[in-house]
Amino acid sequence: MFGAGGGALAAGSLLTACKGAHDDEAGATGATGNFPKPGERWKFVFINHVTTNSFFAPTQNGIKDAAALLGVDYQWTGAEDGNVSTMATALDTAISGGAHGIAIALTDNTAFKAGCKRAFSRGIPVVAYNATAAGNYALAYIGQDLFLSGYKMGQRIVREVGSGDILVGISQPGGNNVQPRLDGIRKAIADAGDRITVHSVNTGAEQAAELSAMEAAYAGRKSAKGVYAVDAGSTAGIAQMIDKQGLKGKFHAGGYDTLSDTIEGVKSGALDFTIDQSAYLQGFLPMLALYLYRLSGSLVHPPEMDTGLTFVTADTVDPYVKAQSVYEDAKGKRMLSMPASLPLPAPLTVTSS
Amino acid sequence: MTTSTVDTRRGRMVVDGLLRRRELSIALVTVALGLYFTFTTTGFNTGSNYHIIAQYFAPWAIIAAGEVMLLICGEIDLSAGYMFTLAPFVLAVFVNNGAPLLIAVLGALAVSACVGIANGLIRTVLNMPSFITTLGMFFLLWGIALLLSGGSPVQAPEGGALVSVLGGARWAELCWAVGIVIVMQVVLSGTRFGVYTFAVGGNPTGASEAGIRTRRVKTACFALTSLLAGFAGILDGIRVGSFDPTNGGANYMFLAVASAVIGGTALLGGSGTVVGAFIGAVALGIVHEGFNLAGINANAFNAVLGVAVLAAMMLNIYLSRFSRAGT
């Protein structure tokens, strides 16, 4: 951290020493890299729905790292228990406390509309992260595109399964965070000619019960050619079930997020894949977006950033298994060793009309 | 009968005298907290910040107005926080079945009061401790709220004068809180019902021997608490614009009871004031908002909050001893 700062300073003084053809103001006061130091120290506020949930520990690491990189302050606040009223009040506090930028998880369709409008009217940029809701106001959404991730998963299921019955576990049918994924899967299957029948399994939100629900569903439909899930707990439940009952290879399987059972399942081959929505980037990228937007006086508009289309497979799972890191855990290493050779990523696709 | 009534009145006067000083000390602590944040944060003394503080404490103060009555008569309602959660969804059910908003509000309030009456009857007729009775109701109401909402938020009614009055307008929730506190304080210190409440909590045997229907008084207090909690839930939901199954809950109940106790109400019954509970809620609101404004991060927040509440209460006890010694 100090090394990077020192490097930035040295680079800054070097740049000031010799000006190029363009007489710009790069690095003159050297806050970070080429960027000038703003008059006051900026503070970006993150409003979260479950501030102490372990899923968001890497998100906070991302925020912290970006804050150190950019020389800004941050506040991680909101509600511990999803309480929308507390979140809305925290949003108001951020505005009246003079935040220089706000990132908010839009877990409710209506509760944050007024607050976000007020923020914009006071010149405070707002981006949404982790959760988004139609009809709300934010410069961009930085997080997983839930429907798209489900659609990609559906395409993969079509490739792997072909036709027949599949089970898909969902912790909370209708829930803003999971239902769009299931809808995406159904859409992809329908687009591919509808040769797969989806049987959804309501698994509930408690992890022990999720395993039981998946086991019961599979016992009732042993002909299933694939067993999938659209939430972290149910995915881990599938991995446990395959391990416990020795079902590896009997059907295709996969799901979401990087709980340890899931990662072990991918490693052992019980699961074909899991989709990583990168909690770390959901903190790091909003900081960068807010910083550049402010620094450029609103010229550099944050793009939509989808953090959630990384398929973790047996080829790519090793870095997840090997070491605790700040990118996937609450604490751990910042620097991990680079694999000697890299698996080919999925070929690029281009949207055409 | 006459002597015991006179005794009760004399007892009440002594209790009131003590409490007035207790309120004074918590008021001083509240002012001290305000000064602390004025000097340590930027933007504390602004209209918009006062509004945010009011958003914090108004629901706690309204629930506390009921809890004070219950605490005074020696009972507690643990389910009030989930009555707060459930009432907006009951309102939504009425609205979805075609009821106009006013009828839906009255219906939801009636259901809230009935929950309180059920609490009261189970407590007094079956003689079950209120801790267990209302703990059972706590889970029941929580479950019903989740079932009615399906676990996801419902949009609150929007537009119209009634919505503005019921929390939509900027200071509406605070106005309701202040109005309710004044009315409840008058009920408590100026009516026969208030005298009975003190009597039932301070000396239950004496009260029933004096002809006070203790069961009826307690049941009425339970009904009032649920009614106020349900009303606070509706106000808060409309203010936020969304009825959410995660609103309210155990946290709000504890904050309301804490407001009452910080404001000088005895946990074991017999003494307390609604105004004191209101000041207690303001103090808690200032601490919540102040540390948020100071930029305390979520993981450290509860630790800082805990230290602040303990320090404030120690100062409060010190001040009340000081004022007692001074007179």
Side-chain angles (χ1 to χ4, degrees):
Chain A
M1 202 167 77
F2 291 109
L9 279 178
S13 47
L14 193 70
L15 274 168
T16 352
C18 47
K19 274 188 177 151
H22 291 281
D23 184 21
D24 57 18
E25 50 172 350
T29 48
T32 181
N34 259 355
F35 299 130
K37 198 173 185 174
E40 54 181 333
R41 200 171 163 87
W42 290 343
K43 185 172 91 171
F44 299 145
V45 180
F46 278 69
I47 315 263
N48 191 262
H49 48 299
V50 282
T51 50
T52 51
N53 188 302
S54 61
F55 174 84
F56 286 106
T59 308
Q60 292 174 69
N61 291 335
I63 297 168
K64 205 185 296 173
D65 290 352
L69 180 70
L70 303 170
V72 299
D73 288 331
Y74 72 93
Q75 185 182 7
W76 177 255
T77 184
E80 283 172 31
D81 50 4
N83 190 321
V84 164
S85 174
T86 311
M87 288 174 73
T89 305
L91 176 60
D92 287 346
T93 305
I95 296 165
S96 83
H100 296 92
I102 293 170
I104 181 166
L106 293 171
T107 52
D108 190 275
N109 292 340
T110 46
F112 310 119
K113 270 188 193 168
C116 290
K117 273 191 200 167
R118 205 160 45 245
F120 281 108
S121 75
R122 303 227 183 138
I124 303 171
V126 181
V127 295
Y129 75 101
N130 185 257
T132 186
N136 274 265
Y137 305 98
L139 294 171
Y141 168 61
I142 299 165
Q144 183 173 57
D145 181 333
L146 298 166
F147 183 85
L148 183 63
S149 79
Y151 191 83
K152 296 269 180 190
M153 180 167 164
Q155 287 179 325
R156 199 179 167 111
I157 292 171
V158 168
R159 273 203 308 278
E160 285 173 353
V161 175
S163 62
D165 291 324
I166 62 164
L167 299 171
V168 181
I170 177 167
S171 59
Q172 193 195 353
N176 271 347
N177 294 337
V178 285
Q179 183 67 42
R181 293 172 175 167
L182 182 57
D183 297 341
I185 292 174
R186 286 187 196 275
K187 179 77 166 56
I189 288 171
D191 286 353
D194 239 346
R195 285 176 299 135
I196 296 173
T197 314
V198 176
H199 302 275
S200 67
V201 183
N202 184 354
T203 57
E206 280 169 36
Q207 210 180 326
E210 288 183 311
L211 169 61
S212 314
M214 289 313 300
E215 284 183 323
Y218 179 68
R221 199 177 292 275
K222 294 225 163 169
S223 62
K225 291 174 76 180
V227 181
Y228 298 92
V230 292
D231 64 278
S234 306
T235 306
I238 295 172
Q240 288 168 331
M241 173 176 87
I242 293 172
D243 183 45
K244 211 171 84 180
Q245 301 187 13
L247 297 170
K248 198 169 105 180
K250 295 231 157 130
F251 49 75
H252 290 282
Y256 278 86
D257 292 336
T258 54
L259 291 177
S260 58
D261 282 322
T262 304
I263 290 299
E264 276 164 34
V266 174
K267 175 81 181 158
S268 74
L271 300 179
D272 301 330
F273 66 87
T274 187
I275 300 175
D276 179 10
Q277 60 170 316
S278 187
Y280 181 87
L281 284 180
Q282 292 185 19
F284 192 83
L285 293 177
M287 290 288 281
L288 287 184
L290 291 169
Y291 180 82
L292 284 174
Y293 189 75
R294 254 212 109 80
L295 198 68
S296 66
S298 83
L299 191 61
V300 179
H301 194 286
E304 298 282 314
M305 289 185 243
D306 191 339
T307 65
L309 273 178
T310 310
F311 280 84
V312 180
T313 61
D315 293 336
T316 55
V317 76
D318 276 347
Y320 290 86
V321 184
K322 265 184 193 158
Q324 282 229 314
S325 73
V326 293
Y327 311 106
E328 293 291 337
D329 307 285
K331 290 196 170 91
K333 291 183 192 161
R334 280 205 159 66
M335 181 98 134
L336 304 168
S337 60
M338 191 69 188
S341 76
L342 301 169
L344 267 188
L348 294 174
T349 53
V350 176
T351 319
S352 54
S353 51
Chain B
M1 180 176 159
T2 343
T3 35
S4 60
T5 316
V6 172
D7 279 349
T8 323
R9 279 206 188 135
R10 196 176 295 155
R12 218 193 91 209
M13 277 165 67
V14 174
V15 165
D16 269 4
L18 271 175
L19 281 173
R20 238 167 256 142
R21 257 174 263 143
R22 273 204 205 166
E23 279 158 24
L24 181 70
S25 64
I26 187 62
L28 287 175
V29 169
T30 307
V31 171
L33 287 169
L35 287 174
Y36 171 78
F37 288 115
T38 304
F39 291 119
T40 56
T41 61
T42 48
F44 184 80
N45 276 314
T46 58
S48 67
N49 196 53
Y50 293 149
H51 183 247
I52 296 170
I53 295 173
Q55 283 179 16
Y56 269 111
F57 75 75
W60 309 338
I62 296 174
I63 304 173
E67 291 281 5
V68 164
M69 305 288 283
L70 272 178
L71 288 169
I72 288 174
C73 62
E75 306 294 339
I76 192 167
D77 183 359
L78 303 179
S79 68
Y82 282 111
M83 194 66 247
F84 182 100
T85 312
L86 175 61
F89 293 109
V90 176
L91 185 152
V93 168
F94 276 105
V95 169
N96 289 344
N97 286 294
L101 185 58
L102 181 63
I103 303 297
V105 171
L106 294 176
L109 293 180
V111 170
S112 304
C114 288
V115 169
I117 291 171
N119 273 334
L121 289 178
I122 296 171
R123 163 68 190 104
T124 56
V125 176
L126 301 179
N127 210 17
M128 202 145 94
S130 61
F131 192 93
I132 296 302
T133 306
T134 59
L135 185 67
M137 194 59 86
F138 169 107
F139 287 111
L140 179 60
L141 297 181
W142 187 3
I144 296 174
L146 285 173
L147 288 172
L148 279 186
S149 65
S152 54
V154 172
Q155 189 171 347
E158 274 179 328
L162 189 57
V163 165
S164 299
V165 171
L166 291 172
R170 192 163 157 78
W171 294 94
E173 202 180 11
L174 179 68
C175 292
W176 277 106
V178 170
I180 286 169
V181 165
I182 291 171
V183 169
M184 293 302 288
Q185 185 63 53
V186 169
V187 167
L188 190 61
S189 52
T191 68
R192 190 176 293 176
F193 178 69
V195 177
Y196 288 174
T197 306
F198 277 111
V200 165
N203 183 358
T205 323
S208 60
E209 279 174 3
I212 298 172
R213 296 179 170 180
T214 54
R215 285 179 179 179
R216 199 173 284 184
V217 171
K218 285 188 174 181
T219 306
C221 287
F222 273 109
L224 263 176
T225 306
S226 286
L227 177 71
L228 289 174
F231 186 58
I234 291 169
L235 288 179
D236 210 49
I238 290 178
R239 174 181 67 75
V240 177
S242 178
F243 295 160
D244 191 297
T246 60
N247 273 355
N251 212 13
Y252 272 45
M253 179 273 295
F254 276 121
L255 285 162
V257 172
S259 301
V261 175
I262 288 172
T265 298
L267 259 178
L268 296 175
S271 69
T273 64
V274 183
V275 172
F278 181 82
I279 301 173
V282 174
L284 283 175
I286 287 179
V287 176
H288 269 84
E289 167 59 6
F291 286 125
N292 257 331
L293 203 58
I296 304 290
N297 282 308
N299 288 348
F301 192 86
N302 285 340
V304 174
L305 189 68
V307 170
V309 169
L310 287 173
M313 280 315 285
M314 285 175 201
L315 180 63
N316 187 19
I317 287 169
Y318 175 76
L319 282 174
S320 57
R321 276 194 198 141
F322 184 74
S323 66
R324 223 173 293 163
T327 46

Coordinates of all heavy atoms in Angstrom, one line a residue, chain A residues 50-114:
Chain A
V50 N -27.7 -5.9 4.2 CA -27.2 -6.9 5.3 C -25.7 -6.6 5.6 O -24.9 -7.4 5.2 CB -27.5 -8.4 4.9 CG1 -28.9 -8.7 5.0 CG2 -27.1 -8.6 3.4
T51 N -25.5 -5.5 6.3 CA -24.1 -5.0 6.4 C -23.1 -6.0 7.0 O -21.9 -6.0 6.7 CB -24.1 -3.8 7.3 OG1 -24.8 -4.0 8.5 CG2 -24.7 -2.6 6.6
T52 N -23.6 -6.9 7.9 CA -22.7 -7.8 8.6 C -22.7 -9.2 7.9 O -22.1 -10.2 8.5 CB -23.1 -7.9 10.0 OG1 -24.5 -8.2 10.2 CG2 -22.8 -6.6 10.7
N53 N -23.4 -9.4 6.8 CA -23.5 -10.7 6.2 C -22.1 -11.1 5.5 O -21.5 -10.2 4.9 CB -24.5 -10.7 5.1 CG -24.8 -12.0 4.5 OD1 -23.9 -12.7 3.9 ND2 -26.0 -12.5 4.6
S54 N -21.7 -12.4 5.7 CA -20.3 -12.7 5.3 C -20.2 -12.6 3.7 O -19.1 -12.5 3.3 CB -20.0 -14.1 5.7 OG -20.9 -15.0 5.2
F55 N -21.3 -12.7 3.0 CA -21.2 -12.6 1.5 C -20.5 -11.3 1.2 O -19.7 -11.2 0.2 CB -22.6 -12.6 0.9 CG -22.5 -12.3 -0.6 CD1 -22.2 -13.4 -1.5 CD2 -22.7 -11.1 -1.1 CE1 -22.1 -13.1 -2.9 CE2 -22.6 -10.8 -2.5 CZ -22.3 -11.8 -3.3
F56 N -20.8 -10.2 1.9 CA -20.3 -8.9 1.6 C -18.9 -8.5 2.2 O -18.4 -7.4 2.1 CB -21.3 -7.8 2.0 CG -22.5 -7.8 1.0 CD1 -23.7 -8.3 1.4 CD2 -22.3 -7.3 -0.2 CE1 -24.8 -8.3 0.6 CE2 -23.4 -7.3 -1.1 CZ -24.6 -7.8 -0.7
A57 N -18.3 -9.5 2.9 CA -16.9 -9.2 3.4 C -15.9 -8.9 2.3 O -15.2 -7.9 2.4 CB -16.5 -10.4 4.3
P58 N -15.9 -9.7 1.2 CA -15.0 -9.4 0.1 C -15.4 -8.0 -0.5 O -14.5 -7.3 -1.0 CB -15.2 -10.5 -0.9 CG -15.8 -11.6 -0.1 CD -16.6 -11.0 1.0
T59 N -16.7 -7.7 -0.5 CA -17.1 -6.4 -1.1 C -16.5 -5.3 -0.3 O -15.9 -4.3 -0.9 CB -18.7 -6.2 -1.0 OG1 -19.3 -7.4 -1.6 CG2 -19.1 -5.0 -1.7
Q60 N -16.4 -5.4 1.0 CA -15.8 -4.4 1.9 C -14.3 -4.3 1.6 O -13.7 -3.3 1.7 CB -16.1 -4.6 3.4 CG -17.6 -4.4 3.7 CD -17.9 -4.8 5.1 OE1 -17.5 -4.1 6.0 NE2 -18.6 -5.9 5.3
N61 N -13.7 -5.5 1.4 CA -12.3 -5.5 1.0 C -12.0 -4.7 -0.3 O -11.1 -3.9 -0.4 CB -11.8 -6.9 0.8 CG -11.7 -7.7 2.1 OD1 -11.6 -7.1 3.2 ND2 -11.8 -9.0 2.0
G62 N -12.9 -4.9 -1.2 CA -12.8 -4.2 -2.5 C -12.9 -2.7 -2.3 O -12.2 -1.9 -2.9
I63 N -13.9 -2.3 -1.4 CA -14.0 -0.8 -1.1 C -12.8 -0.3 -0.5 O -12.3 0.8 -0.9 CB -15.2 -0.6 -0.2 CG1 -16.5 -1.1 -0.9 CG2 -15.4 0.8 0.2 CD1 -17.7 -1.2 0.0
K64 N -12.3 -1.1 0.5 CA -11.1 -0.6 1.3 C -9.9 -0.5 0.3 O -9.2 0.5 0.4 CB -10.8 -1.7 2.3 CG -10.1 -1.1 3.5 CD -9.7 -2.2 4.5 CE -10.9 -2.9 5.1 NZ -10.5 -4.1 5.9
D65 N -9.7 -1.4 -0.5 CA -8.6 -1.4 -1.5 C -8.7 -0.2 -2.4 O -7.7 0.5 -2.7 CB -8.5 -2.7 -2.3 CG -8.0 -3.9 -1.3 OD1 -7.7 -3.6 -0.2 OD2 -8.1 -5.0 -1.8
A66 N -9.9 0.0 -2.9 CA -10.1 1.1 -3.9 C -9.9 2.5 -3.1 O -9.3 3.4 -3.7 CB -11.5 1.1 -4.5
A67 N -10.3 2.5 -1.9 CA -10.2 3.8 -1.1 C -8.7 4.1 -0.9 O -8.3 5.2 -1.0 CB -10.9 3.6 0.3
A68 N -7.9 3.0 -0.6 CA -6.5 3.2 -0.4 C -5.8 3.7 -1.8 O -4.9 4.5 -1.8 CB -5.8 2.0 0.1
L69 N -6.3 3.0 -2.8 CA -5.7 3.3 -4.2 C -6.0 4.8 -4.6 O -5.1 5.5 -5.1 CB -6.3 2.4 -5.2 CG -5.9 2.5 -6.6 CD1 -4.4 2.0 -6.8 CD2 -6.7 1.7 -7.5
L70 N -7.2 5.2 -4.3 CA -7.6 6.5 -4.8 C -7.5 7.7 -3.8 O -7.6 8.8 -4.1 CB -9.1 6.5 -5.2 CG -9.5 5.4 -6.2 CD1 -11.0 5.2 -6.4 CD2 -8.8 5.7 -7.6
G71 N -7.1 7.3 -2.5 CA -7.0 8.3 -1.5 C -8.3 9.0 -1.1 O -8.4 10.2 -1.0
V72 N -9.4 8.2 -1.0 CA -10.7 8.7 -0.6 C -11.1 7.9 0.7 O -10.6 6.9 1.0 CB -11.7 8.6 -1.7 CG1 -11.3 9.4 -2.9 CG2 -12.0 7.1 -2.0
D73 N -12.1 8.5 1.4 CA -12.7 7.8 2.5 C -13.9 7.1 2.1 O -14.5 7.4 1.1 CB -13.0 8.8 3.6 CG -11.8 9.3 4.3 OD1 -10.8 8.6 4.3 OD2 -11.8 10.5 4.8
Y74 N -14.4 6.1 2.9 CA -15.6 5.4 2.6 C -16.3 5.1 3.9 O -15.8 5.1 5.0 CB -15.3 4.1 1.9 CG -14.7 3.0 2.8 CD1 -15.5 2.1 3.4 CD2 -13.4 3.0 3.0 CE1 -15.0 1.1 4.2 CE2 -12.8 2.0 3.8 CZ -13.6 1.1 4.4 OH -13.1 0.1 5.3
Q75 N -17.6 4.9 3.8 CA -18.4 4.4 4.9 C -19.3 3.2 4.5 O -20.0 3.3 3.4 CB -19.3 5.5 5.5 CG -20.0 5.1 6.8 CD -20.9 6.2 7.3 OE1 -21.1 7.2 6.7 NE2 -21.5 6.0 8.5
W76 N -19.3 2.2 5.3 CA -20.1 1.0 5.0 C -21.2 1.0 6.0 O -21.0 0.8 7.2 CB -19.2 -0.3 5.1 CG -19.9 -1.6 4.9 CD1 -20.3 -2.4 5.9 CD2 -20.3 -2.2 3.7 NE1 -20.9 -3.6 5.4 CE2 -20.9 -3.4 4.0 CE3 -20.2 -1.8 2.4 CZ2 -21.5 -4.3 3.1 CZ3 -20.8 -2.7 1.4 CH2 -21.4 -3.9 1.8
T77 N -22.5 1.2 5.5 CA -23.6 1.4 6.4 C -24.9 0.9 5.8 O -24.8 0.3 4.7 CB -23.7 2.9 6.9 OG1 -24.7 3.0 7.8 CG2 -24.0 3.8 5.7
G78 N -26.0 1.1 6.5 CA -27.3 0.6 6.1 C -27.9 -0.2 7.2 O -27.9 0.2 8.3
A79 N -28.5 -1.4 6.8 CA -29.2 -2.2 7.8 C -28.5 -3.6 7.9 O -27.9 -4.1 7.0 CB -30.7 -2.4 7.3
E80 N -28.6 -4.1 9.1 CA -28.1 -5.5 9.4 C -29.0 -6.6 8.9 O -28.6 -7.7 8.6 CB -27.8 -5.7 10.8 CG -26.5 -4.9 11.3 CD -26.4 -5.0 12.8 OE1 -26.8 -6.0 13.4 OE2 -25.8 -4.0 13.4
D81 N -30.3 -6.2 8.9 CA -31.3 -7.3 8.7 C -32.2 -7.0 7.5 O -33.3 -7.5 7.5 CB -32.2 -7.3 10.0 CG -32.7 -5.9 10.4 OD1 -32.4 -5.0 9.6 OD2 -33.3 -5.8 11.4
G82 N -31.8 -6.3 6.6 CA -32.6 -6.0 5.4 C -33.6 -4.9 5.6 O -34.4 -4.7 4.7
N83 N -33.7 -4.3 6.8 CA -34.7 -3.3 7.1 C -34.6 -2.1 6.1 O -33.7 -1.3 6.1 CB -34.5 -2.9 8.5 CG -35.7 -2.0 9.0 OD1 -36.2 -1.2 8.3 ND2 -36.1 -2.2 10.2
V84 N -35.7 -2.0 5.3 CA -35.7 -1.0 4.2 C -35.8 0.4 4.8 O -35.1 1.4 4.3 CB -36.8 -1.3 3.3 CG1 -37.1 -0.1 2.4 CG2 -36.5 -2.4 2.4
S85 N -36.5 0.6 5.9 CA -36.7 1.9 6.5 C -35.3 2.4 7.1 O -35.0 3.5 6.9 CB -37.7 1.7 7.7 OG -37.8 2.9 8.4
T86 N -34.6 1.5 7.7 CA -33.2 1.8 8.2 C -32.3 2.2 7.0 O -31.5 3.2 7.1 CB -32.6 0.7 9.0 OG1 -33.6 0.2 9.9 CG2 -31.3 1.1 9.7
M87 N -32.4 1.5 5.9 CA -31.6 1.8 4.8 C -31.9 3.2 4.2 O -31.1 4.0 3.8 CB -31.8 0.7 3.7 CG -31.2 -0.6 4.0 SD -31.6 -1.8 2.7 CE -30.6 -1.2 1.3
A88 N -33.3 3.5 4.1 CA -33.7 4.8 3.6 C -33.2 5.9 4.5 O -32.7 6.9 4.0 CB -35.2 4.8 3.5
T89 N -33.2 5.7 5.8 CA -32.7 6.7 6.7 C -31.2 6.9 6.5 O -30.7 8.0 6.6 CB -33.0 6.3 8.2 OG1 -34.4 6.1 8.2 CG2 -32.6 7.4 9.1
A90 N -30.5 5.7 6.4 CA -29.0 5.8 6.1 C -28.7 6.6 4.9 O -27.7 7.4 4.8 CB -28.4 4.4 6.1
L91 N -29.6 6.4 3.9 CA -29.4 7.2 2.6 C -29.6 8.7 2.9 O -28.7 9.5 2.4 CB -30.4 6.7 1.6 CG -30.5 7.4 0.2 CD1 -29.2 7.3 -0.5 CD2 -31.6 6.8 -0.6
D92 N -30.6 9.0 3.6 CA -30.8 10.4 4.0 C -29.6 11.0 4.8 O -29.2 12.1 4.5 CB -32.1 10.6 4.9 CG -33.3 10.4 4.1 OD1 -33.2 10.4 2.8 OD2 -34.4 10.2 4.6
T93 N -29.1 10.2 5.7 CA -27.9 10.6 6.5 C -26.7 10.9 5.6 O -26.0 11.9 5.7 CB -27.5 9.6 7.5 OG1 -28.7 9.3 8.3 CG2 -26.4 10.1 8.4
A94 N -26.5 10.0 4.6 CA -25.4 10.2 3.7 C -25.5 11.5 2.9 O -24.6 12.2 2.8 CB -25.3 9.0 2.7
I95 N -26.8 11.8 2.5 CA -27.0 13.0 1.7 C -26.7 14.2 2.6 O -26.0 15.1 2.3 CB -28.4 13.0 1.2 CG1 -28.6 11.9 0.2 CG2 -28.7 14.4 0.5 CD1 -30.0 11.6 -0.2
S96 N -27.4 14.2 3.8 CA -27.2 15.4 4.6 C -25.8 15.5 5.2 O -25.4 16.6 5.6 CB -28.3 15.5 5.7 OG -27.9 14.7 6.8
G97 N -25.1 14.4 5.3 CA -23.8 14.4 5.8 C -22.7 14.8 4.8 O -21.6 14.8 5.1
G98 N -23.2 15.1 3.6 CA -22.3 15.6 2.6 C -21.5 14.6 1.9 O -20.3 14.8 1.6
A99 N -22.0 13.4 1.7 CA -21.3 12.3 1.0 C -20.9 12.8 -0.4 O -21.7 13.6 -1.0 CB -22.1 11.0 0.9
H100 N -19.8 12.4 -0.9 CA -19.4 12.8 -2.3 C -19.9 11.8 -3.4 O -19.7 12.1 -4.5 CB -17.9 13.0 -2.4 CG -17.4 14.1 -1.5 ND1 -17.0 13.9 -0.2 CD2 -17.4 15.4 -1.6 CE1 -16.7 15.0 0.4 NE2 -16.9 16.0 -0.5
G101 N -20.4 10.7 -2.9 CA -20.9 9.7 -3.8 C -21.6 8.6 -3.0 O -21.2 8.4 -1.9
I102 N -22.6 8.0 -3.6 CA -23.3 7.0 -2.9 C -23.5 5.7 -3.8 O -23.8 5.9 -4.9 CB -24.7 7.5 -2.5 CG1 -24.6 8.6 -1.4 CG2 -25.6 6.4 -1.9 CD1 -25.9 9.4 -1.1
A103 N -23.2 4.6 -3.2 CA -23.5 3.3 -3.8 C -24.6 2.6 -3.0 O -24.4 2.5 -1.8 CB -22.3 2.5 -4.0
I104 N -25.6 2.2 -3.6 CA -26.7 1.6 -2.8 C -27.2 0.3 -3.5 O -27.3 0.2 -4.7 CB -27.9 2.6 -2.7 CG1 -29.0 2.0 -1.8 CG2 -28.4 3.1 -4.0 CD1 -30.0 3.0 -1.3
A105 N -27.5 -0.7 -2.6 CA -28.1 -1.9 -3.1 C -29.6 -1.7 -3.1 O -30.3 -1.5 -2.1 CB -27.8 -3.1 -2.1
L106 N -30.2 -1.7 -4.4 CA -31.6 -1.3 -4.5 C -32.5 -2.5 -4.3 O -33.0 -3.2 -5.2 CB -31.9 -0.7 -5.9 CG -31.2 0.6 -6.1 CD1 -31.4 1.0 -7.6 CD2 -31.9 1.7 -5.2
T107 N -32.7 -2.9 -3.0 CA -33.4 -4.1 -2.6 C -34.9 -3.8 -2.6 O -35.7 -4.8 -2.3 CB -33.0 -4.6 -1.3 OG1 -33.0 -3.6 -0.3 CG2 -31.5 -5.1 -1.4
D108 N -35.4 -2.6 -2.8 CA -36.8 -2.3 -2.7 C -37.1 -1.5 -3.9 O -36.3 -0.6 -4.4 CB -37.1 -1.6 -1.4 CG -38.6 -1.5 -1.2 OD1 -39.2 -0.5 -1.8 OD2 -39.2 -2.3 -0.5
N109 N -38.3 -1.7 -4.5 CA -38.7 -0.9 -5.7 C -39.0 0.5 -5.5 O -38.8 1.3 -6.4 CB -39.9 -1.6 -6.3 CG -39.6 -3.0 -6.9 OD1 -38.4 -3.3 -7.1 ND2 -40.6 -3.8 -7.0
T110 N -39.5 0.9 -4.3 CA -40.0 2.3 -4.1 C -39.3 3.1 -3.0 O -39.3 4.3 -3.1 CB -41.5 2.2 -3.8 OG1 -41.7 1.2 -2.8 CG2 -42.4 1.9 -5.0
A111 N -38.8 2.4 -2.0 CA -38.3 3.1 -0.8 C -37.2 4.1 -1.1 O -37.0 5.0 -0.3 CB -37.9 2.1 0.2
F112 N -36.4 3.9 -2.1 CA -35.2 4.7 -2.3 C -35.3 5.7 -3.3 O -34.4 6.5 -3.6 CB -34.0 3.8 -2.5 CG -33.8 2.7 -1.6 CD1 -33.9 1.3 -2.0 CD2 -33.7 2.9 -0.2 CE1 -33.8 0.3 -1.1 CE2 -33.6 1.9 0.7 CZ -33.7 0.6 0.3
K113 N -36.5 5.7 -4.0 CA -36.7 6.7 -5.1 C -36.4 8.1 -4.7 O -35.7 8.9 -5.3 CB -38.1 6.5 -5.7 CG -38.1 5.5 -6.8 CD -39.5 5.6 -7.4 CE -39.8 4.4 -8.3 NZ -41.1 4.3 -8.7
A114 N -37.1 8.5 -3.6 CA -37.1 9.9 -3.2 C -35.7 10.3 -2.8 O -35.2 11.4 -3.1 CB -38.1 10.2 -2.1

